[in-house]
Amino acid sequence: MTPAGPHGQLDQFFLLSHDLFCCIDLDGRMLQVNPAFETLLGYPADALLGKPCGKVIDERDHGVIEGVLARIVEGRDVAAFEVRARSVTRALHWLEVDPSLGEGVVYVVARVVTERKRVEEHLKRTQQLFEIVGKTALIGGWYVDMDEGKPIWSDEVCHIHGVAPGFQPTIDEAIAFYTPTYQPRIRAYFDACCEHGISFDDTFEIITHDYQPLWVRVIGKAVCDSDGNVIRVQGSTQDITQRKATERQLQLLERSVESSTNGVLIVDAGHDDLPIVYANTAFERITGYSRQEALGRNCRFLQGEDTDPNTVKQLRQGIAAESEVHVVIRNYRRSGAPFWNDLYISPVRDDLGQVTHFVGVQNDISEQREYQAQLAYNASHDALTGLPNRMLLTQRLEQGCLVARRYQRHLAVLFIDLDDFKPINDTLGHEVGDFILVEVAKRLEDELRPWDTIARFGGDEFVVLLPDLAHENDVIQVVERILKRLATPYWQRGGELRITASIGVAMNDGLISEPLQLIQQADLAMYKAKRRGRNTCQWYTDDLNRKVSERVSLRNALQQAIEQEEFELYFQPQIHGPSGRVIGVEALIRWQHPERGFVSPGDFIPLAEDTGQIIPISDWVLTTACRVAKQLNGLGLGRITMAVNVSPMQFQRPGFLASIQLVLEESGLAADLLELELTEGVLMDSAEQAIQALQDLRQLGVHIAMDDFGTGFSSLSYLKHLPINKIKIDRSFINDVVSDHRDAAIVEGVLTMAAKLDLDVLVEGVETAAQYAYLRQQLCDYFQGFYFARPMPLEALLSFLCEQQRHL
């Protein structure tokens, strides 16, 4: 290094230092440089001395140097800073510069930090890349320090969960994002990772802050200290909702993909022999040849003696013409087994239009046809039992009608429905239910002729087609055998199961325009068998069809009546015998149809209960009756209760108690003026729940009456637990109470029992003075019947009450 000016030689340290050293004046001209400076930048000292330092500093950092010199001249401290230097070959070097002010000069020590800057730049690019990847792949990072015990979420994790960046939840808050199904699993994973360092990687479903369901993949790993103690759990969360949707779609397509028989070959058109350069896995599966055995060979090795020469010629002509070609050719597997190859060949051209390769797509038609045959079988047969399904049954039925018509034979259709199959399926499980169905199918097949058809119609319904019968009565023996065989015990896992069937039979000689009507007719007859006690059969008749048609018509008319409010309430007074005063009325629905005229409640109420139409009807009756009761009790005629019948379906409906409260509030009727009449049928299912519901009604203040007492089948043991106010003795015991000592005994027994239980008793159906006199002798106080008053509309009731008031 050559000295410049009076500053003298640098000491030995700077001569031998690996750091760059230079001395510059206050104008930025270089006065001294050390050997390390010359070596790094490739300039000899003579080429630098007296030159501005900008000669070796990158132009982008000249402003940095000028600013530093200005601060040094002003006497301010200058911290180390970084600039870029250019060597004589224009190579870029990063320097960390530490300047200090001397006497009129600035001493500069610079360290080469190029490698560090390269690493920092790489890390920066990597971080940017990770950020881009995280946003693109919807991956975020998180960690939980054991000392803190609180999750730290990255912005992407916050984004995934639908919360603002910077949101940091508690562990419980974080787990609360997971659906209830997955919360126990993620908590167990996290606890195991915290306590035992067990990593986890699983998929979960979460509900975001804005209530959007998402699928996420969560990876968690433990970080341990030198003693093996877990100090942190960290991991990532990735939104895989789209992937899960794709996976679900792929699962639907999986069966099709697995059954695919397509193979792909690529041959090199640049060689005369067209050697194979690629073969996929499907080719190996189809042909039995491995890729190694096929590569380099011409496809002709798949041909054999029975391969059609004309097909081979067609192939060669298409290849020679460099055009697409499609052939079906007989090829042979490695085992020697033949198969039919549906082969498509297409040329592959380069940018200049030259054919470089041919792609062949092969399809093993042998497997395809077998697969199609299986699909055709599945389309026409039940998957569980293997029996024909509706589609095949329809075809067989049409064929059977054709044979019957052509040869003057008879045809029978049996519609079979298993009795009480649903409880078996619900209580013992579908596995047992499936066993029963399969066993029923086998037993039916055993009892029928080979040319008869047994089809599973759906659920636990089977249809048997008996074609080519000489006489109609031939079907009787078949039905008897089926009923007996199906009722035989079923043994499953050492346990005995019993089930019976109801059968409907429809007969025809083939002279029917719509064969499917036979199935409908047999179905109607089957329901008739159900109503006749089950485990029996019934024949279809025109009278049955008429009744069913009438039921359908009545149901439609009933729906119209509900929508157009064609109903009216009649009221039958309830009398207090000792005083003769009306103490209550029972609301009775009446329906005056515009065309049918008066329709008896006995006709439409059971239908409404079967169809569920009883619910809107009951709601209307209750609302109307409470409004009338409020009106009656405002006339000053004394206290009059309103009795309203409640159907079991209405009583068992969720929200029944709330509906009673609402009606009372809207009508303004006092609760103790409403008396709900229920039959014993409400106790047939879930007696404990029914009793609780009755207790809730009593707490509300509503009175409860047990209607038609003595005609039901519930145990008297429940009576002592029932929170009821009154018993209504059914009219069936009153008709002959004077002349029949058995009816009299029953009535006396009920009266005695009710008195012991502190219950009121009201007798229905009192129609004669003799009945009334007898009942009064038995100390019965409350009555209802034609002897006192018939059911009447509201206007007539008001007149009746006023007339009675004048005579009291």
Side-chain angles (χ1 to χ4, degrees):
M1 179 182 71
T2 305
H7 301 287
Q9 298 289 337
L10 291 173
D11 59 25
Q12 190 71 11
F13 170 76
F14 289 108
L15 288 173
L16 300 178
S17 175
H18 293 291
D19 292 334
L20 279 66
F21 170 78
C22 70
C23 179
I24 62 176
D25 62 20
L26 298 181
D27 292 327
R29 291 188 298 273
M30 289 180 285
L31 303 177
Q32 292 176 322
V33 295
N34 71 341
F37 198 102
E38 298 175 84
T39 300
L40 177 69
L41 301 180
Y43 289 100
D46 293 341
L48 298 176
L49 298 182
K51 301 294 192 295
C53 58
K55 179 178 179 66
V56 297
I57 299 301
D58 188 274
E59 295 178 355
R60 292 171 290 182
D61 293 335
H62 283 181
V64 176
I65 297 298
E66 293 171 359
V68 169
L69 286 174
R71 287 195 295 275
I72 290 176
V73 170
E74 293 173 0
R76 291 188 291 170
D77 294 333
V78 177
F81 60 93
E82 295 176 351
V83 294
R84 286 161 286 195
R86 292 283 184 181
S87 69
V88 68
T89 61
R90 305 301 296 167
L92 183 68
H93 300 278
W94 277 94
L95 302 178
E96 183 182 74
V97 179
D98 188 5
S100 60
L101 180 64
E103 295 181 1
V105 295
V106 177
Y107 296 102
V108 176
V109 177
R111 297 178 180 82
V112 180
V113 293
T114 303
E115 181 62 22
R116 189 193 75 192
K117 292 294 290 184
R118 185 189 67 77
V119 172
E120 290 176 353
E121 185 64 25
H122 176 72
L123 288 175
K124 180 180 179 181
R125 288 196 301 269
T126 300
Q127 291 174 349
Q128 292 174 342
L129 177 61
F130 284 162
E131 183 178 355
I132 292 172
V133 170
K135 292 181 178 179
T136 304
L138 305 178
I139 301 176
W142 55 267
Y143 67 88
V144 178
D145 285 330
M146 295 297 97
D147 292 338
E148 297 292 334
K150 187 174 183 180
I152 303 298
W153 282 3
S154 71
D155 289 349
E156 186 56 35
V157 174
C158 294
H159 175 73
I160 290 172
H161 288 76
V163 296
F167 175 76
Q168 304 301 340
T170 65
I171 291 177
D172 288 340
E173 289 172 340
I175 291 178
F177 279 98
Y178 293 77
T179 60
T181 302
Y182 289 98
Q183 286 180 11
R185 185 189 299 181
I186 186 63
R187 185 176 291 277
Y189 278 146
F190 181 75
D191 291 345
C193 194
C194 293
E195 296 172 7
H196 308 293
I198 301 174
S199 301
F200 61 91
D201 182 350
D202 205 347
T203 58
F204 308 88
E205 187 177 23
I206 66 170
I207 303 297
T208 66
H209 183 68
D210 51 355
Y211 306 106
Q212 297 298 316
L214 292 180
W215 281 95
V216 294
R217 178 188 179 189
V218 182
I219 299 175
K221 295 183 180 296
V223 178
C224 301
D225 59 16
S226 58
D227 296 328
N229 299 315
V230 177
I231 59 174
R232 169 184 288 192
V233 173
Q234 61 188 24
S236 63
T237 300
Q238 179 184 11
D239 182 353
I240 60 169
T241 304
Q242 186 60 42
R243 190 185 82 188
K244 289 289 287 188
T246 302
E247 288 176 354
R248 285 194 294 268
Q249 185 176 7
L250 289 176
Q251 289 174 355
L252 295 176
L253 299 174
E254 183 179 358
R255 187 176 298 275
S256 299
V257 172
E258 288 177 352
S259 63
S260 174
T261 57
N262 291 331
V264 178
L265 286 174
I266 301 177
V267 301
D268 188 353
H271 292 75
D272 294 338
D273 201 35
L274 302 177
I276 298 173
V277 295
Y278 172 78
N280 70 348
T281 304
F283 170 84
E284 295 179 310
R285 185 179 66 252
I286 293 170
T287 66
Y289 289 95
S290 66
R291 298 181 187 183
Q292 290 71 22
E293 292 174 313
L295 295 179
R297 301 174 68 179
N298 185 279
C299 294
R300 73 174 68 92
F301 74 89
L302 296 174
Q303 300 170 13
E305 295 180 358
D306 294 334
T307 301
D308 183 18
N310 292 327
T311 304
V312 175
K313 181 179 179 180
Q314 183 182 352
L315 266 177
R316 291 174 178 173
Q317 288 175 344
I319 292 173
E322 297 182 343
S323 63
E324 294 184 356
V325 60
H326 174 213
V327 297
V328 176
I329 187 170
R330 188 179 179 89
N331 282 158
Y332 290 85
R333 311 186 202 278
R334 192 176 188 278
S335 64
F339 71 96
W340 288 101
N341 186 2
D342 190 10
L343 180 62
Y344 292 81
I345 294 180
S346 299
V348 179
R349 302 180 184 276
D350 60 16
D351 295 339
L352 300 177
Q354 299 296 318
V355 175
T356 60
H357 298 83
F358 286 96
V359 175
V361 179
Q362 59 180 186
N363 187 17
D364 183 354
I365 295 181
S366 303
E367 292 187 11
Q368 182 182 15
R369 287 178 177 174
E370 182 180 350
Y371 178 67
Q372 290 174 341
Q374 184 64 39
L375 287 179
Y377 179 85
N378 291 339
S380 59
H381 288 76
D382 174 53
L384 176 63
T385 62
L387 295 178
N389 60 12
R390 294 190 185 191
M391 183 183 73
L392 186 54
L393 173 66
T394 302
Q395 298 173 3
R396 301 269 180 89
L397 180 59
E398 292 174 350
Q399 295 170 1
C401 287
L402 181 62
V403 171
R405 185 166 56 250
R406 179 176 299 173
Y407 298 103
Q408 290 78 49
R409 307 285 283 182
H410 294 279
L411 173 141
V413 173
L414 280 57
F415 201 104
I416 304 172
D417 185 272
L418 301 182
D419 299 328
D420 295 323
F421 175 77
K422 188 176 185 300
I424 292 178
N425 220 23
D426 293 344
T427 58
L428 301 181
H430 291 282
E431 181 181 353
V432 176
D434 289 348
F435 164 77
I436 293 289
L437 294 175
V438 172
E439 186 65 22
V440 166
K442 292 178 181 178
R443 295 186 182 190
L444 290 174
E445 289 178 324
D446 291 342
E447 296 299 328
L448 298 175
R449 302 169 298 180
W451 55 88
D452 295 332
T453 296
I454 311 158
R456 185 182 178 199
F457 203 68
D460 60 337
E461 298 173 334
F462 297 85
V463 173
V464 172
L465 175 62
L466 304 175
D468 195 24
L469 296 176
H471 305 285
E472 289 186 348
N473 291 338
D474 291 345
V475 73
I476 297 177
Q477 294 180 351
V478 177
V479 171
E480 290 176 347
R481 290 202 311 268
I482 290 175
L483 287 173
K484 181 178 179 181
R485 184 68 187 278
L486 295 184
T488 304
Y490 298 77
W491 294 91
Q492 204 262 353
R493 295 182 179 176
E496 179 183 280
L497 299 172
R498 289 184 178 271
I499 196 167
T500 58
S502 298
I503 302 178
V505 182
M507 300 292 300
N508 195 267
D509 55 3
L511 298 176
I512 185 170
S513 58
E514 296 292 337
L516 288 178
Q517 290 180 358
L518 291 174
I519 297 178
Q520 297 174 357
Q521 294 172 1
D523 190 15
L524 292 177
M526 181 274 295
Y527 278 107
K528 183 179 179 182
K530 290 280 189 185
R531 292 192 294 272
R532 291 294 178 89
R534 308 185 178 191
N535 193 25
T536 186
C537 68
Q538 290 292 318
W539 262 249
Y540 171 80
T541 61
D542 290 336
D543 180 63
L544 174 62
N545 186 49
R546 181 187 60 76
K547 290 181 179 178
V548 172
S549 298
E550 174 63 22
R551 180 181 174 89
V552 173
S553 176
L554 183 61
R555 174 178 179 174
N556 294 334
L558 186 59
Q559 185 61 37
Q560 183 177 356
I562 294 172
E563 296 171 356
Q564 298 182 4
E565 297 185 355
E566 296 177 358
F567 301 111
E568 181 182 1
L569 280 188
Y570 275 43
F571 304 91
Q572 186 172 27
Q574 296 174 339
I575 307 299
H576 179 242
S579 66
R581 192 174 62 84
V582 175
I583 47 86
V585 294
E586 179 179 1
L588 301 169
I589 190 169
R590 294 294 184 263
W591 178 18
Q592 187 71 25
H593 189 270
E595 298 175 358
R596 297 170 180 258
F598 175 76
V599 182
S600 170
D603 291 336
F604 71 84
I605 291 298
L607 175 62
E609 290 176 339
D610 289 343
T611 62
Q613 293 169 309
I614 193 66
I615 295 300
I617 293 175
S618 298
D619 290 343
W620 178 84
V621 169
L622 181 63
T623 301
T624 306
C626 287
R627 188 168 62 247
V628 170
K630 177 65 175 178
Q631 178 183 350
L632 295 178
N633 281 277
L635 298 177
L637 301 176
R639 175 187 174 87
I640 301 176
T641 62
M642 178 63 69
V644 179
N645 290 280
V646 178
S647 72
M649 182 179 294
Q650 183 186 19
F651 179 77
Q652 294 165 1
R653 184 176 58 165
F656 174 66
L657 180 65
S659 68
I660 297 295
Q661 290 177 302
L662 180 62
V663 169
L664 291 174
E665 291 174 1
E666 291 180 346
S667 65
L669 180 67
D672 61 349
L673 293 176
L674 175 63
E675 183 173 87
L676 299 181
E677 295 189 359
L678 299 98
T679 63
E680 296 178 36
V682 300
L683 298 177
M684 295 304 293
D685 295 321
S686 304
E688 289 75 11
Q689 289 85 339
I691 291 174
Q692 181 60 51
L694 292 176
Q695 290 174 344
D696 293 338
L697 287 170
R698 285 294 303 275
Q699 290 179 359
L700 188 63
V702 175
H703 285 205
I704 307 296
M706 182 63 70
D707 196 13
D708 299 337
F709 185 79
T711 62
F713 301 98
S714 60
S715 172
L716 289 177
S717 63
Y718 283 114
L719 189 59
K720 64 181 181 180
H721 300 295
L722 292 178
I724 62 177
N725 305 89
K726 182 185 295 181
I727 291 175
K728 296 186 71 176
I729 299 179
D730 187 68
R731 66 181 66 246
S732 62
F733 301 109
I734 306 304
N735 293 335
D736 300 318
V737 70
V738 176
S739 58
D740 191 329
H741 69 279
R742 290 169 297 186
D743 284 342
I746 292 174
V747 171
E748 292 175 14
V750 172
L751 290 171
T752 302
M753 177 185 66
K756 296 293 185 180
L757 294 175
D758 196 23
L759 295 174
D760 292 333
V761 176
L762 185 146
V763 180
E764 294 182 296
V766 180
E767 299 183 356
T768 67
Q771 292 172 344
Y772 175 63
Y774 173 80
L775 293 169
R776 283 295 296 130
Q777 290 177 359
Q778 303 303 317
L779 302 180
C780 185
D781 292 337
Y782 301 102
F783 303 92
Q784 180 179 339
F786 292 173
Y787 177 70
F788 303 98
R790 291 178 176 272
M792 61 191 75
L794 179 59
E795 294 79 5
L797 175 65
L798 293 174
S799 300
F800 179 86
L801 292 175
C802 293
E803 182 67 20
Q804 188 209 43
Q805 184 71 15
R806 284 196 296 270
H807 288 84
L808 291 178

